[in-house]
Amino acid sequence: MGVKQALRTIDAFPRAEEHLLQKTKFGAFVSVVGLLIMVTLFLHELSYYLNIYTVHKMSVDSRRGENLPIHINVTFPSLPCDVLSVDAIDMSGKHEVDLDTNIWKLRLNSDGHITGTEYLSDLVEKKHEAHMHDVHKEHHEDSDKIHLQGIDEESQNMIKKVKQALADGEGCRVYGILDVQRVAGNFHLSVHGLNIFVAQMIFEKSTHVNVSHIIHDLSFGPKYPGIHNPLDGTSRILRGTSGTFKYYIKVVPTEYRYISKEVLPTNQFSVTEYFSPIHDFERTWPAVYFLYDLSPITVTIREERRSFLHFITRLCAVLGGTFALTGMLDGWMYKILESFTKKNSRTIVR
């Protein structure tokens, strides 16, 4: 036996002569259906191969000495910009009233349309440093001091202006970036920057301060694909009552690694909220607090693409399986039809 003949004996794909092959209409139908299925599966596998997926990994956070950027975009539909202030305090006891940040205020009319813009290089509290407070001691002054201070002409004009704005239904939108130390702390938006006597002249009492707000955006760093900030789109509207909102935020340091090897350091967070109503006899003033703490665990999200060998393996499996299944189906149907044909022919002969 020659070498060529020996090789023929191990041929797994023997060929039958053309005149021995029988083609049927059902076989053609199965072939077309099988071809459509294989094309569909091929496109699906190609899309699966080209799509990028992400892998999550957790480790201990080792970053030190960095600042924490806080992006805020909040609307207060019932408070004019002249009375709103932004304040930040961290756990080291540092109370920052002149933050090196970019903060903007947009004046809104009763319909929510922008009527004016104000840039705050110095926050409102800077003008009232004598009235600063911390998280555990709410903003108030001794009643004796109130009567000693009096009201100057500038304050009188401001009171008239704010009262007119309140009567017109004016609101305010505050947005920008706070750059704070990377330690636990809080920032809040309130009327605490006002002189307590001026605040009483404007609102008469704290229960008349409506801190209804809409959070358009709150994030702790740049956004990456697929991130979800749970406070975005949050709306808290008060009707007939007033109080203090507190959002307790757990910040999770995050690194997003693109498939191009570019690294994006950012943060994601979870949040719980609490509302404390204010009564007439209380001396505290309403506010919206964002109290944040940092997790010791950092999350690394890495983009990856499936290997080409993985794609070829899956492609062979689905295409080969489809081809084999359609062939088996054609064979079964051919035998069934042939058996019925033989039975009918025997009945006719008899």
Side-chain angles (χ1 to χ4, degrees):
M1 182 182 293
V3 177
K4 292 183 179 180
Q5 199 162 357
L7 289 175
R8 288 178 181 175
T9 59
I10 60 174
D11 183 8
F13 308 99
R15 302 290 187 275
E17 295 184 11
E18 187 69 25
H19 68 277
L20 297 177
L21 298 176
Q22 184 176 359
K23 297 182 180 181
T24 63
K25 293 181 179 179
F26 183 79
F29 174 76
V30 172
S31 299
V32 172
V33 172
L35 181 61
L36 292 176
I37 293 175
M38 284 189 283
V39 170
T40 303
L41 292 176
F42 170 77
L43 294 176
H44 177 269
E45 290 299 321
L46 182 62
S47 174
Y48 182 74
Y49 165 68
L50 295 177
N51 283 341
I52 295 173
Y53 69 99
T54 56
V55 177
H56 293 68
K57 178 183 176 183
M58 293 188 294
S59 59
V60 177
D61 183 25
S62 59
R63 286 185 282 182
R64 294 292 181 272
E66 299 180 8
N67 286 340
L68 182 67
I70 305 175
H71 301 254
I72 61 172
N73 188 348
V74 184
T75 292
F76 289 83
S78 302
L79 286 178
C81 290
D82 289 321
V83 300
L84 266 178
S85 63
V86 184
D87 200 3
I89 307 172
D90 61 38
M91 291 300 291
S92 66
K94 188 175 181 180
H95 184 176
E96 299 182 273
V97 294
D98 188 13
L99 300 174
D100 185 18
T101 56
N102 294 320
I103 298 294
W104 291 82
K105 286 182 179 180
L106 300 177
R107 293 177 55 200
L108 307 176
N109 60 22
S110 58
D111 296 324
H113 299 144
I114 298 172
T115 60
T117 306
E118 180 183 356
Y119 175 67
L120 304 181
S121 58
D122 299 327
L123 300 180
V124 176
E125 295 90 74
K126 181 182 177 183
K127 301 177 183 178
H128 309 281
E129 293 181 355
H131 307 284
M132 294 188 299
H133 61 283
D134 55 29
V135 178
H136 305 288
K137 184 177 181 180
E138 297 293 338
H139 172 78
H140 66 274
E141 291 287 339
D142 210 331
S143 59
D144 292 332
K145 287 185 179 180
I146 295 174
H147 296 291
L148 291 174
Q149 287 176 348
I151 303 178
D152 55 19
E153 184 179 353
E154 183 181 354
S155 297
Q156 290 178 358
N157 293 333
M158 195 269 282
I159 291 172
K160 292 179 181 179
K161 179 181 177 182
V162 173
K163 283 188 174 182
Q164 184 60 47
L166 287 171
D168 295 338
E170 189 172 305
C172 186
R173 185 167 183 170
V174 182
Y175 72 97
I177 301 175
L178 300 176
D179 205 17
V180 299
Q181 295 186 34
R182 199 177 182 80
V183 294
N186 81 79
F187 68 95
H188 50 274
L189 298 94
S190 64
V191 298
H192 293 164
L194 291 175
N195 179 298
I196 185 65
F197 190 45
V198 172
Q200 289 177 342
M201 292 291 293
I202 294 173
F203 298 103
E204 296 182 0
K205 52 185 179 180
S206 60
T207 53
H208 291 168
V209 180
N210 189 339
V211 291
S212 297
H213 58 280
I214 303 169
I215 303 174
H216 305 286
D217 176 48
L218 179 70
S219 58
F220 292 80
K223 297 182 179 180
Y224 61 83
I227 190 174
H228 171 65
N229 293 323
L231 284 179
D232 289 1
T234 298
S235 178
R236 297 292 179 264
I237 305 299
L238 298 176
R239 304 186 189 280
T241 185
S242 186
T244 296
F245 289 90
K246 292 185 178 180
Y247 296 95
Y248 296 91
I249 297 172
K250 177 66 73 171
V251 180
V252 181
T254 303
E255 277 190 356
Y256 193 89
R257 299 179 177 270
Y258 290 93
I259 200 166
S260 60
K261 307 302 181 183
E262 180 185 354
V263 179
L264 178 68
T266 183
N267 301 277
Q268 51 186 324
F269 67 92
S270 61
V271 63
T272 56
E273 64 176 284
Y274 174 74
F275 174 71
S276 175
I278 290 180
H279 305 286
D280 290 337
F281 57 84
E282 296 184 39
R283 300 180 65 187
T284 56
W285 290 84
V288 179
Y289 284 86
F290 298 89
L291 303 99
Y292 56 88
D293 192 10
L294 284 90
S295 170
I297 302 299
T298 184
V299 176
T300 301
I301 305 174
R302 187 176 67 254
E303 288 184 345
E304 290 190 357
R305 178 171 282 138
R306 297 168 182 85
S307 69
F308 183 71
L309 290 178
H310 185 263
F311 168 66
I312 293 298
T313 302
R314 289 177 59 93
L315 194 63
C316 291
V318 297
L319 296 185
T322 303
F323 183 81
L325 182 61
T326 52
M328 292 170 59
L329 180 62
D330 178 60
W332 293 337
M333 291 303 299
Y334 178 77
K335 289 181 179 179
I336 292 172
L337 293 175
E338 189 178 26
S339 64
F340 274 109
T341 303
K342 288 183 178 178
K343 287 181 181 180
N344 291 334
S345 61
R346 289 175 183 173
T347 303
I348 294 171
V349 170
R350 288 177 185 176

